[in-house]
Amino acid sequence: MKNILLLAFAGLLILAGVSEADAGMDGEILLGMANAQSGPASGLGKGMRTGAEAVFKEINAKGGIHGRSVKLIVQDDGYEPEKSIDATLKLIEENKVFCLFGYVGTPTANAVVPIVKETHVPLVGLFTGAMSLRNPVVPEVINFRASYDDEAEKLVDHFVKSFDAKKFAVFYQDDGFGLAVLSGTEKALARRKISVTAKGMFQRNTTAVKTGLAAVAASEPDVVIMVGPYAPLSAFVKDAKAAGLKARLATVSFVGTENLVAAVGRDGDGVVISQVVPFPEDLSTPITKECSDLLGKHAPGEKLGFVNFEGCVTAKLMALGLEKAGKDPGRDALLKSFEGMNNVDIGGIVISMNAGDHQASDSVFLTEIRNGAISIIGR
């Protein structure tokens, strides 16, 4: 943490003279993305990038936004806070982006918030549900997705009502992300006068899960809420099955559903995953079909899944904000355009924001791995 703060402070000194006039908005709109393009969480960063680029390519093919093309500049932070700080400084200082977009992860997002606040460069569409990025509202941060509190509430409600679960354990990544979902779970349980029975941890960007598994298994829980990306959680699921753990397993959307299913196969049957976008295979929702078509056109061979779908939806939100901000928008105008969105239907997903609420959607959907594939709960 000390290194992160020092890097952020040094960056703020460098960026003290960076003004809005320095940002690229002449012939094109420059957006900066720093997320995991490598490492054990790379499926998330690559998925967000693929879905977003499909939208921006389509926009550019049709003349851009108010005549300007959209250019996405991507930096790899490997899902590490220090690297995210470095990448963000480069995007703002060297690439002179107008806006930051599509970051992945709570620890990386939290690390760059001081830079975002100081430079007043908007950060739009983060792949994280952490409450630290929502309450209190950070004026420069715009979220599309529901919060981890929303997801935890949905999961706890499901297991209590459907299975009369009473003993909940949490296996989580030992950082801001894990603590965010742990907090949401504890709040959801407290509303039902239940406490977490056991906790197990693992370190970010590792798959060392055995100690954490032993800690939660010892309490003989009814349910284990798992918090992490697909690589460590797939290891946990396999080890839990091998150890004979009888608890039901669940996790939140950040896991990267397609990557998890590919890693665990039928060993993952019964794992429940909360989602913040509709089921990608249900093309009856207009935005689902649109994103599926855009991927087919601009990313041949890519199938619509939960992560690239979120990238697509988030890019559509970004484009809508730019469109509404006007022909020659400043950063304040862009933020005001998001805050002015009230019950806007973007193809079956309704978004609303205001000055006191920078989270566009509260929707959470439940899915389950069945026969080595993902299905909607209730079907």
Side-chain angles (χ1 to χ4, degrees), residues 106-197:
T106 303
T108 47
N110 282 339
V112 304
V113 164
I115 299 172
V116 167
K117 287 180 176 179
E118 182 68 22
T119 60
H120 197 53
V121 176
L123 175 55
V124 179
L126 303 93
F127 192 84
T128 166
M131 292 305 296
S132 60
L133 301 163
R134 288 164 169 77
N135 185 22
V137 167
V138 179
E140 294 81 11
V141 174
I142 300 294
N143 298 287
F144 158 68
R145 58 165 33 230
S147 72
Y148 289 144
D149 280 15
D150 296 327
E151 292 192 65
E153 169 62 29
K154 190 83 170 182
L155 288 171
V156 168
D157 187 67
H158 169 69
F159 287 111
V160 170
K161 288 183 176 177
S162 299
F163 302 101
D164 194 29
K166 294 180 173 63
K167 297 175 65 178
F168 286 76
V170 181
F171 171 75
Y172 63 99
Q173 183 168 284
D174 188 17
D175 63 6
F177 166 42
L179 292 171
V181 182
L182 172 63
S183 174
T185 303
E186 289 175 330
K187 284 183 272 189
L189 291 172
R191 284 189 282 272
R192 295 160 176 84
K193 301 188 186 306
I194 304 174
S195 298
V196 172
T197 61

Coordinates of all heavy atoms in Angstrom, one line a residue, residues 106-197:
T106 N -11.3 -4.3 -8.4 CA -11.4 -3.3 -7.3 C -10.0 -2.8 -6.9 O -9.9 -1.6 -6.7 CB -12.1 -4.0 -6.1 OG1 -13.4 -4.5 -6.5 CG2 -12.2 -3.1 -4.9
P107 N -9.0 -3.7 -6.6 CA -7.7 -3.1 -6.2 C -7.1 -2.1 -7.1 O -6.5 -1.1 -6.8 CB -6.9 -4.3 -5.9 CG -7.5 -5.4 -6.7 CD -9.0 -5.1 -6.7
T108 N -7.2 -2.4 -8.4 CA -6.6 -1.6 -9.5 C -7.4 -0.3 -9.6 O -6.8 0.8 -9.7 CB -6.6 -2.3 -10.8 OG1 -7.8 -2.9 -11.1 CG2 -5.5 -3.4 -10.8
A109 N -8.7 -0.4 -9.5 CA -9.5 0.8 -9.6 C -9.3 1.7 -8.4 O -9.2 3.0 -8.5 CB -11.0 0.5 -9.7
N110 N -9.3 1.2 -7.2 CA -9.1 2.0 -6.0 C -7.8 2.7 -6.1 O -7.6 3.8 -5.6 CB -9.2 1.1 -4.8 CG -10.6 0.7 -4.4 OD1 -11.5 1.4 -4.7 ND2 -10.7 -0.3 -3.6
A111 N -6.8 2.0 -6.7 CA -5.4 2.6 -6.7 C -5.3 3.9 -7.6 O -4.5 4.8 -7.3 CB -4.4 1.6 -7.2
V112 N -6.2 3.9 -8.6 CA -6.1 5.1 -9.5 C -7.1 6.2 -9.2 O -7.0 7.2 -9.8 CB -6.3 4.6 -11.0 CG1 -5.2 3.6 -11.4 CG2 -7.7 4.1 -11.3
V113 N -8.0 5.9 -8.3 CA -9.0 7.0 -7.9 C -8.3 8.3 -7.5 O -8.8 9.4 -7.9 CB -10.0 6.5 -6.8 CG1 -10.7 7.6 -6.2 CG2 -11.0 5.5 -7.5
P114 N -7.3 8.3 -6.7 CA -6.6 9.6 -6.4 C -6.2 10.4 -7.6 O -6.3 11.6 -7.7 CB -5.4 9.2 -5.5 CG -5.8 7.9 -4.9 CD -6.6 7.2 -6.0
I115 N -5.7 9.7 -8.6 CA -5.3 10.3 -9.9 C -6.5 10.9 -10.6 O -6.5 12.0 -11.1 CB -4.5 9.3 -10.8 CG1 -3.3 8.8 -10.1 CG2 -4.2 10.0 -12.1 CD1 -2.6 7.7 -10.9
V116 N -7.6 10.1 -10.7 CA -8.8 10.5 -11.3 C -9.4 11.8 -10.7 O -9.8 12.7 -11.3 CB -9.8 9.4 -11.3 CG1 -11.2 9.8 -11.7 CG2 -9.4 8.2 -12.2
K117 N -9.4 11.8 -9.4 CA -9.9 12.9 -8.6 C -9.1 14.2 -8.9 O -9.6 15.3 -9.1 CB -9.9 12.6 -7.1 CG -11.0 11.7 -6.7 CD -10.9 11.5 -5.2 CE -12.0 10.6 -4.6 NZ -11.9 10.4 -3.2
E118 N -7.8 14.0 -8.8 CA -6.9 15.2 -9.0 C -6.9 15.8 -10.4 O -6.9 17.0 -10.6 CB -5.4 14.8 -8.6 CG -4.4 15.9 -8.7 CD -4.6 17.0 -7.6 OE1 -5.3 16.7 -6.6 OE2 -4.2 18.1 -7.8
T119 N -6.9 14.9 -11.4 CA -6.9 15.4 -12.8 C -8.2 15.6 -13.4 O -8.4 16.2 -14.4 CB -6.2 14.3 -13.7 OG1 -6.9 13.1 -13.6 CG2 -4.7 14.1 -13.2
H120 N -9.3 15.2 -12.7 CA -10.7 15.4 -13.2 C -10.9 14.7 -14.5 O -11.7 15.1 -15.3 CB -11.0 16.8 -13.2 CG -12.5 17.1 -13.3 ND1 -13.4 16.6 -12.4 CD2 -13.3 17.8 -14.2 CE1 -14.6 17.0 -12.7 NE2 -14.6 17.7 -13.8
V121 N -10.2 13.6 -14.7 CA -10.4 12.8 -15.9 C -11.4 11.7 -15.6 O -11.2 10.9 -14.7 CB -9.1 12.1 -16.4 CG1 -9.3 11.2 -17.6 CG2 -8.0 13.2 -16.7
P122 N -12.6 11.7 -16.3 CA -13.6 10.7 -16.0 C -13.1 9.2 -16.2 O -12.3 8.9 -17.0 CB -14.7 11.0 -17.0 CG -14.5 12.4 -17.4 CD -13.0 12.6 -17.3
L123 N -13.6 8.4 -15.3 CA -13.3 6.9 -15.4 C -14.7 6.2 -15.5 O -15.5 6.2 -14.5 CB -12.6 6.5 -14.1 CG -12.3 5.0 -13.9 CD1 -11.6 4.4 -15.1 CD2 -11.5 4.7 -12.7
V124 N -15.0 5.7 -16.7 CA -16.3 5.2 -17.0 C -16.3 3.7 -17.2 O -15.4 3.1 -17.8 CB -16.8 5.9 -18.3 CG1 -18.2 5.3 -18.6 CG2 -16.9 7.4 -18.1
G125 N -17.3 3.0 -16.6 CA -17.5 1.6 -16.9 C -16.5 0.6 -16.3 O -15.8 -0.1 -17.0
L126 N -16.4 0.6 -15.0 CA -15.5 -0.3 -14.3 C -16.1 -1.7 -14.1 O -17.2 -1.8 -13.7 CB -15.0 0.3 -13.0 CG -14.4 1.7 -13.0 CD1 -15.5 2.7 -12.7 CD2 -13.4 1.8 -11.9
F127 N -15.3 -2.7 -14.3 CA -15.7 -4.1 -14.1 C -15.4 -4.4 -12.7 O -14.5 -5.2 -12.3 CB -14.9 -5.0 -15.1 CG -15.4 -6.4 -15.2 CD1 -16.5 -6.7 -16.0 CD2 -14.9 -7.5 -14.4 CE1 -17.0 -8.0 -16.1 CE2 -15.4 -8.8 -14.5 CZ -16.4 -9.0 -15.4
T128 N -16.2 -3.8 -11.8 CA -16.1 -4.1 -10.3 C -17.4 -3.5 -9.7 O -18.0 -2.5 -10.2 CB -14.9 -3.4 -9.7 OG1 -15.1 -3.4 -8.3 CG2 -14.7 -2.0 -10.1
G129 N -17.8 -4.2 -8.7 CA -19.0 -3.7 -8.0 C -18.8 -3.2 -6.6 O -19.7 -3.1 -5.8
A130 N -17.5 -2.8 -6.3 CA -17.1 -2.3 -5.0 C -17.9 -1.1 -4.6 O -18.0 -0.1 -5.4 CB -15.6 -2.1 -5.0
M131 N -18.3 -1.0 -3.3 CA -19.0 0.1 -2.8 C -18.1 1.3 -2.7 O -18.6 2.5 -2.7 CB -19.7 -0.2 -1.5 CG -20.8 -1.2 -1.6 SD -22.1 -0.7 -2.8 CE -22.7 0.8 -2.0
S132 N -16.8 1.1 -2.5 CA -15.8 2.2 -2.4 C -15.8 3.1 -3.6 O -15.4 4.2 -3.6 CB -14.4 1.7 -2.2 OG -14.0 0.8 -3.3
L133 N -16.4 2.6 -4.8 CA -16.4 3.3 -6.0 C -17.8 3.9 -6.3 O -18.1 4.4 -7.3 CB -16.0 2.5 -7.2 CG -14.6 1.9 -7.1 CD1 -14.3 0.8 -8.0 CD2 -13.6 3.1 -7.3
R134 N -18.7 3.7 -5.2 CA -20.1 4.1 -5.4 C -20.6 5.0 -4.3 O -21.4 5.9 -4.5 CB -21.0 2.8 -5.5 CG -20.8 2.1 -6.7 CD -21.3 0.7 -6.6 NE -21.4 0.0 -8.0 CZ -20.4 -0.5 -8.6 NH1 -19.2 -0.4 -8.1 NH2 -20.5 -1.0 -9.8
N135 N -20.2 4.7 -3.0 CA -20.7 5.4 -1.9 C -19.6 5.7 -0.9 O -19.0 4.8 -0.3 CB -21.8 4.6 -1.2 CG -22.5 5.3 -0.1 OD1 -22.5 6.5 0.0 ND2 -23.1 4.5 0.8
P136 N -19.3 7.0 -0.7 CA -19.9 8.2 -1.4 C -19.5 8.2 -2.9 O -18.5 7.7 -3.3 CB -19.3 9.4 -0.6 CG -18.0 8.9 -0.1 CD -18.2 7.4 0.2
V137 N -20.3 8.9 -3.6 CA -20.1 9.1 -5.1 C -18.8 9.8 -5.3 O -18.5 10.8 -4.7 CB -21.3 9.9 -5.7 CG1 -20.9 10.3 -7.1 CG2 -22.5 9.1 -5.8
V138 N -18.0 9.2 -6.2 CA -16.8 9.8 -6.7 C -17.2 10.6 -8.0 O -17.6 9.9 -8.9 CB -15.7 8.8 -7.0 CG1 -14.4 9.5 -7.6 CG2 -15.3 8.0 -5.8
P139 N -17.2 11.9 -8.0 CA -17.8 12.6 -9.1 C -17.3 12.2 -10.5 O -18.0 12.2 -11.5 CB -17.4 14.1 -8.8 CG -17.3 14.1 -7.4 CD -16.7 12.8 -7.0
E140 N -16.0 11.8 -10.6 CA -15.4 11.4 -11.9 C -15.7 9.9 -12.3 O -15.3 9.5 -13.4 CB -13.9 11.6 -11.8 CG -13.5 13.1 -11.7 CD -13.5 13.6 -10.3 OE1 -13.7 12.8 -9.3 OE2 -13.4 14.8 -10.1
V141 N -16.2 9.1 -11.4 CA -16.4 7.7 -11.7 C -17.8 7.4 -12.0 O -18.8 7.7 -11.3 CB -16.0 6.8 -10.4 CG1 -16.3 5.4 -10.7 CG2 -14.5 7.0 -10.1
I142 N -18.0 6.7 -13.2 CA -19.3 6.3 -13.7 C -19.4 4.8 -13.8 O -18.6 4.2 -14.5 CB -19.6 7.0 -15.0 CG1 -19.6 8.5 -15.0 CG2 -21.0 6.5 -15.6 CD1 -20.7 9.1 -14.1
N143 N -20.3 4.2 -13.1 CA -20.4 2.7 -13.1 C -21.7 2.3 -13.9 O -22.7 2.9 -13.8 CB -20.6 2.2 -11.7 CG -19.4 2.5 -10.8 OD1 -18.4 1.8 -10.9 ND2 -19.6 3.4 -9.9
F144 N -21.5 1.2 -14.7 CA -22.7 0.6 -15.3 C -23.3 -0.4 -14.4 O -24.5 -0.4 -14.1 CB -22.3 0.0 -16.7 CG -23.3 -1.1 -17.1 CD1 -24.6 -0.7 -17.4 CD2 -23.0 -2.4 -17.0 CE1 -25.6 -1.6 -17.7 CE2 -24.0 -3.4 -17.3 CZ -25.3 -3.0 -17.7
R145 N -22.5 -1.3 -13.9 CA -23.0 -2.6 -13.3 C -23.5 -2.4 -11.9 O -23.2 -1.4 -11.2 CB -21.9 -3.6 -13.3 CG -20.7 -3.1 -12.6 CD -19.6 -4.1 -12.2 NE -19.4 -5.3 -13.1 CZ -19.4 -6.5 -12.7 NH1 -19.6 -6.8 -11.4 NH2 -19.2 -7.5 -13.5
A146 N -24.3 -3.3 -11.5 CA -24.8 -3.4 -10.1 C -23.6 -3.6 -9.2 O -22.6 -4.1 -9.6 CB -25.8 -4.6 -10.0
S147 N -23.9 -3.3 -7.9 CA -22.8 -3.4 -6.9 C -22.6 -4.8 -6.4 O -23.5 -5.7 -6.5 CB -23.1 -2.4 -5.7 OG -24.1 -3.0 -5.0
Y148 N -21.5 -5.1 -5.7 CA -21.3 -6.3 -5.0 C -22.3 -6.5 -3.9 O -22.7 -7.6 -3.6 CB -19.9 -6.5 -4.5 CG -18.9 -6.6 -5.6 CD1 -17.6 -6.1 -5.5 CD2 -19.1 -7.4 -6.8 CE1 -16.7 -6.2 -6.5 CE2 -18.2 -7.5 -7.8 CZ -17.0 -7.0 -7.6 OH -16.0 -7.1 -8.6
D149 N -22.7 -5.4 -3.3 CA -23.8 -5.5 -2.3 C -25.1 -6.1 -2.9 O -25.8 -6.9 -2.3 CB -24.1 -4.2 -1.7 CG -23.1 -3.8 -0.6 OD1 -22.0 -4.4 -0.5 OD2 -23.3 -2.8 0.2
D150 N -25.4 -5.6 -4.1 CA -26.6 -6.0 -4.9 C -26.5 -7.5 -5.2 O -27.4 -8.3 -5.0 CB -26.8 -5.3 -6.2 CG -27.1 -3.8 -6.0 OD1 -27.7 -3.4 -5.0 OD2 -26.6 -3.0 -6.8
E151 N -25.3 -7.9 -5.6 CA -25.1 -9.3 -6.0 C -25.1 -10.3 -4.8 O -25.7 -11.3 -4.8 CB -23.7 -9.5 -6.7 CG -23.7 -8.8 -8.1 CD -22.5 -9.3 -8.9 OE1 -22.4 -10.5 -9.3 OE2 -21.6 -8.4 -9.2
A152 N -24.5 -9.8 -3.7 CA -24.5 -10.6 -2.5 C -25.9 -10.8 -1.9 O -26.3 -11.9 -1.5 CB -23.6 -10.0 -1.4
E153 N -26.7 -9.8 -2.0 CA -28.1 -9.8 -1.5 C -28.8 -10.9 -2.3 O -29.6 -11.7 -1.8 CB -28.7 -8.5 -1.6 CG -30.2 -8.4 -1.4 CD -30.7 -8.9 0.0 OE1 -29.9 -8.8 0.9 OE2 -31.8 -9.4 0.1
K154 N -28.6 -10.8 -3.6 CA -29.4 -11.8 -4.5 C -29.0 -13.2 -4.2 O -29.8 -14.1 -4.1 CB -29.0 -11.4 -6.0 CG -29.9 -12.2 -7.0 CD -31.2 -11.5 -7.2 CE -32.0 -12.0 -8.3 NZ -33.3 -11.3 -8.6
L155 N -27.7 -13.5 -4.0 CA -27.2 -14.8 -3.7 C -27.7 -15.3 -2.3 O -28.2 -16.4 -2.2 CB -25.7 -14.8 -3.7 CG -25.0 -14.7 -5.1 CD1 -23.5 -14.6 -5.0 CD2 -25.3 -15.9 -6.0
V156 N -27.6 -14.5 -1.3 CA -28.0 -14.9 0.0 C -29.5 -15.2 0.0 O -30.0 -16.2 0.6 CB -27.6 -13.8 1.1 CG1 -28.3 -14.1 2.4 CG2 -26.1 -13.8 1.3
D157 N -30.3 -14.3 -0.6 CA -31.7 -14.5 -0.7 C -32.1 -15.8 -1.3 O -33.0 -16.5 -0.9 CB -32.3 -13.3 -1.4 CG -33.8 -13.3 -1.4 OD1 -34.4 -13.1 -0.3 OD2 -34.5 -13.5 -2.5
H158 N -31.4 -16.1 -2.4 CA -31.6 -17.4 -3.1 C -31.4 -18.6 -2.3 O -32.3 -19.5 -2.2 CB -30.7 -17.4 -4.4 CG -30.7 -18.8 -5.1 ND1 -31.8 -19.3 -5.7 CD2 -29.7 -19.7 -5.1 CE1 -31.5 -20.5 -6.2 NE2 -30.2 -20.8 -5.9
F159 N -30.3 -18.6 -1.6 CA -30.0 -19.8 -0.8 C -30.8 -19.9 0.5 O -31.2 -21.0 0.9 CB -28.5 -19.8 -0.4 CG -27.6 -20.2 -1.6 CD1 -26.8 -19.2 -2.2 CD2 -27.6 -21.4 -2.2 CE1 -26.0 -19.5 -3.3 CE2 -26.9 -21.8 -3.2 CZ -26.0 -20.8 -3.8
V160 N -31.2 -18.8 1.1 CA -32.0 -18.8 2.2 C -33.4 -19.3 1.9 O -34.0 -20.2 2.5 CB -32.1 -17.5 2.9 CG1 -33.1 -17.4 4.0 CG2 -30.7 -17.2 3.6
K161 N -34.0 -18.7 0.8 CA -35.4 -19.0 0.4 C -35.5 -20.4 -0.3 O -36.5 -21.1 0.0 CB -35.9 -18.0 -0.5 CG -36.2 -16.6 0.2 CD -36.8 -15.6 -0.8 CE -37.2 -14.3 -0.1 NZ -37.7 -13.3 -1.1
S162 N -34.5 -20.8 -1.1 CA -34.6 -22.0 -1.8 C -34.1 -23.2 -1.1 O -34.6 -24.4 -1.3 CB -33.9 -21.9 -3.2 OG -34.4 -20.8 -4.0
F163 N -33.2 -23.0 -0.2 CA -32.5 -24.2 0.5 C -32.5 -24.1 2.0 O -31.9 -24.9 2.7 CB -31.1 -24.4 0.0 CG -31.1 -24.6 -1.5 CD1 -30.7 -23.5 -2.4 CD2 -31.4 -25.8 -2.1 CE1 -30.7 -23.7 -3.8 CE2 -31.3 -26.0 -3.5 CZ -31.0 -24.9 -4.3
D164 N -33.1 -23.0 2.5 CA -33.2 -22.8 4.0 C -31.8 -22.8 4.6 O -31.5 -23.3 5.7 CB -34.0 -23.9 4.7 CG -34.4 -23.5 6.1 OD1 -34.5 -22.3 6.4 OD2 -34.6 -24.4 6.9
A165 N -30.8 -22.3 3.8 CA -29.4 -22.2 4.3 C -29.3 -21.3 5.5 O -29.9 -20.2 5.6 CB -28.5 -21.7 3.2
K166 N -28.5 -21.8 6.4 CA -28.3 -21.0 7.7 C -26.8 -20.7 8.0 O -26.4 -19.8 8.7 CB -28.9 -21.7 8.9 CG -30.4 -21.8 8.8 CD -31.0 -22.5 10.0 CE -32.5 -22.4 10.0 NZ -33.1 -23.1 8.9
K167 N -25.9 -21.6 7.4 CA -24.5 -21.5 7.7 C -23.7 -21.1 6.4 O -23.7 -21.9 5.5 CB -23.9 -22.8 8.3 CG -24.6 -23.2 9.6 CD -24.1 -24.5 10.1 CE -22.6 -24.5 10.3 NZ -22.1 -25.9 10.8
F168 N -23.2 -19.8 6.4 CA -22.6 -19.3 5.2 C -21.1 -19.0 5.5 O -20.8 -18.4 6.5 CB -23.2 -18.0 4.8 CG -24.5 -18.1 4.1 CD1 -25.7 -18.3 4.8 CD2 -24.6 -17.9 2.7 CE1 -26.9 -18.4 4.2 CE2 -25.8 -18.0 2.1 CZ -27.0 -18.3 2.9
A169 N -20.2 -19.6 4.7 CA -18.8 -19.3 4.8 C -18.4 -18.4 3.6 O -19.1 -18.5 2.6 CB -18.0 -20.5 4.9
V170 N -17.3 -17.7 3.7 CA -16.8 -16.9 2.6 C -15.3 -17.2 2.3 O -14.5 -17.1 3.3 CB -17.0 -15.4 2.9 CG1 -16.5 -14.5 1.7 CG2 -18.4 -15.0 3.2
F171 N -15.0 -17.6 1.1 CA -13.7 -17.8 0.7 C -13.3 -16.6 -0.3 O -13.9 -16.5 -1.3 CB -13.6 -19.1 0.0 CG -12.2 -19.4 -0.7 CD1 -11.1 -19.7 0.0 CD2 -12.1 -19.3 -2.1 CE1 -9.9 -19.9 -0.6 CE2 -10.9 -19.5 -2.7 CZ -9.8 -19.8 -2.0
Y172 N -12.3 -15.8 0.1 CA -12.2 -14.6 -0.7 C -10.7 -14.2 -0.9 O -9.8 -14.6 -0.2 CB -12.9 -13.4 0.0 CG -12.3 -13.1 1.4 CD1 -11.4 -12.0 1.6 CD2 -12.7 -13.8 2.6 CE1 -10.9 -11.7 2.9 CE2 -12.2 -13.5 3.8 CZ -11.4 -12.4 4.0 OH -10.9 -12.1 5.2
Q173 N -10.5 -13.4 -2.0 CA -9.2 -12.9 -2.3 C -8.9 -11.8 -1.3 O -9.7 -10.9 -1.0 CB -9.3 -12.3 -3.7 CG -8.0 -11.7 -4.3 CD -8.1 -11.4 -5.7 OE1 -8.1 -12.3 -6.6 NE2 -8.3 -10.1 -6.1
D174 N -7.7 -11.9 -0.7 CA -7.3 -11.0 0.4 C -6.9 -9.6 -0.1 O -5.7 -9.2 0.0 CB -6.2 -11.6 1.2 CG -5.9 -10.9 2.5 OD1 -6.8 -10.1 2.9 OD2 -4.9 -11.1 3.1
D175 N -7.9 -8.8 -0.6 CA -7.6 -7.4 -1.0 C -8.9 -6.7 -1.0 O -9.9 -7.2 -0.5 CB -6.9 -7.4 -2.4 CG -7.7 -8.0 -3.5 OD1 -8.9 -8.4 -3.3 OD2 -7.2 -8.1 -4.6
G176 N -8.9 -5.5 -1.6 CA -10.1 -4.7 -1.6 C -11.3 -5.4 -2.3 O -12.5 -5.2 -1.9
F177 N -11.1 -6.2 -3.3 CA -12.2 -6.9 -4.0 C -12.8 -7.9 -3.0 O -14.0 -8.0 -2.8 CB -11.6 -7.6 -5.2 CG -12.5 -8.6 -5.8 CD1 -13.9 -8.4 -6.0 CD2 -12.0 -9.8 -6.3 CE1 -14.7 -9.4 -6.5 CE2 -12.8 -10.8 -6.9 CZ -14.1 -10.6 -7.0
G178 N -12.0 -8.8 -2.5 CA -12.5 -9.8 -1.6 C -13.2 -9.2 -0.4 O -14.3 -9.7 0.0
L179 N -12.7 -8.1 0.2 CA -13.3 -7.5 1.3 C -14.6 -6.8 1.0 O -15.5 -6.8 1.8 CB -12.3 -6.5 1.9 CG -11.1 -7.1 2.6 CD1 -10.1 -5.9 3.0 CD2 -11.5 -7.9 3.9
A180 N -14.7 -6.3 -0.3 CA -15.9 -5.7 -0.7 C -17.1 -6.7 -0.8 O -18.2 -6.4 -0.3 CB -15.7 -5.1 -2.1
V181 N -16.8 -7.9 -1.3 CA -17.9 -8.9 -1.4 C -18.1 -9.5 0.0 O -19.3 -9.8 0.3 CB -17.5 -10.0 -2.4 CG1 -18.7 -11.0 -2.5 CG2 -17.2 -9.4 -3.8
L182 N -17.1 -9.7 0.8 CA -17.3 -10.1 2.1 C -18.2 -9.2 2.9 O -19.2 -9.6 3.6 CB -16.0 -10.2 2.9 CG -16.0 -10.5 4.4 CD1 -16.7 -11.9 4.6 CD2 -14.6 -10.5 5.0
S183 N -18.0 -7.9 2.7 CA -18.8 -6.9 3.4 C -20.3 -7.0 2.9 O -21.2 -6.9 3.7 CB -18.3 -5.5 3.2 OG -19.1 -4.5 3.7
G184 N -20.5 -7.1 1.6 CA -21.8 -7.2 1.1 C -22.5 -8.4 1.6 O -23.7 -8.4 1.9
T185 N -21.8 -9.5 1.7 CA -22.4 -10.8 2.2 C -22.7 -10.7 3.6 O -23.8 -11.1 4.1 CB -21.4 -12.0 2.0 OG1 -21.0 -12.1 0.6 CG2 -22.0 -13.3 2.5
E186 N -21.9 -10.1 4.4 CA -22.2 -9.9 5.8 C -23.4 -9.0 6.0 O -24.2 -9.3 6.9 CB -20.9 -9.2 6.5 CG -19.8 -10.2 6.7 CD -18.6 -9.6 7.3 OE1 -18.3 -8.4 7.1 OE2 -17.8 -10.3 8.0
K187 N -23.5 -8.0 5.2 CA -24.7 -7.1 5.3 C -26.0 -7.8 4.9 O -27.0 -7.7 5.6 CB -24.5 -5.8 4.4 CG -23.6 -4.8 5.0 CD -23.5 -3.6 4.2 CE -22.4 -3.7 3.2 NZ -22.2 -2.4 2.4
A188 N -25.9 -8.6 3.9 CA -27.1 -9.4 3.5 C -27.5 -10.4 4.5 O -28.7 -10.6 4.8 CB -26.8 -10.1 2.1
L189 N -26.5 -11.1 5.1 CA -26.8 -12.0 6.2 C -27.3 -11.3 7.4 O -28.3 -11.8 8.1 CB -25.5 -12.8 6.5 CG -25.0 -13.8 5.5 CD1 -23.7 -14.4 5.9 CD2 -26.0 -14.9 5.2
A190 N -26.8 -10.2 7.8 CA -27.2 -9.5 9.0 C -28.7 -9.1 8.9 O -29.4 -9.1 9.9 CB -26.3 -8.2 9.2
R191 N -29.1 -8.8 7.7 CA -30.6 -8.4 7.5 C -31.4 -9.6 7.8 O -32.6 -9.5 8.1 CB -30.8 -8.0 6.1 CG -30.4 -6.6 5.8 CD -30.8 -6.0 4.4 NE -30.0 -6.6 3.3 CZ -28.9 -6.0 2.9 NH1 -28.5 -4.9 3.4 NH2 -28.3 -6.5 1.9
R192 N -30.9 -10.8 7.9 CA -31.6 -12.0 8.2 C -31.1 -12.6 9.5 O -31.4 -13.8 9.8 CB -31.4 -13.1 7.1 CG -32.0 -12.6 5.7 CD -31.4 -13.3 4.5 NE -32.0 -12.9 3.3 CZ -31.7 -11.8 2.6 NH1 -30.7 -11.0 3.0 NH2 -32.3 -11.5 1.5
K193 N -30.4 -11.8 10.3 CA -29.9 -12.2 11.6 C -29.0 -13.4 11.6 O -29.1 -14.3 12.4 CB -31.1 -12.4 12.6 CG -31.9 -11.1 12.7 CD -33.0 -11.3 13.8 CE -33.9 -10.1 13.9 NZ -33.2 -8.8 14.0
I194 N -28.2 -13.5 10.5 CA -27.2 -14.6 10.4 C -25.8 -14.0 10.3 O -25.6 -12.9 9.8 CB -27.5 -15.4 9.1 CG1 -29.0 -15.9 9.0 CG2 -26.5 -16.5 8.9 CD1 -29.3 -16.6 7.7
S195 N -24.8 -14.7 10.8 CA -23.5 -14.3 10.7 C -22.6 -15.3 9.8 O -23.0 -16.4 9.7 CB -22.8 -14.2 12.1 OG -23.5 -13.3 12.9
V196 N -21.5 -14.8 9.3 CA -20.6 -15.6 8.5 C -20.0 -16.6 9.5 O -19.5 -16.2 10.6 CB -19.5 -14.8 7.9 CG1 -18.4 -15.7 7.2 CG2 -20.1 -13.9 6.8
T197 N -20.1 -17.9 9.2 CA -19.6 -18.9 10.1 C -18.1 -19.2 10.0 O -17.4 -19.6 11.0 CB -20.3 -20.3 9.8 OG1 -20.0 -20.7 8.5 CG2 -21.8 -20.2 10.0

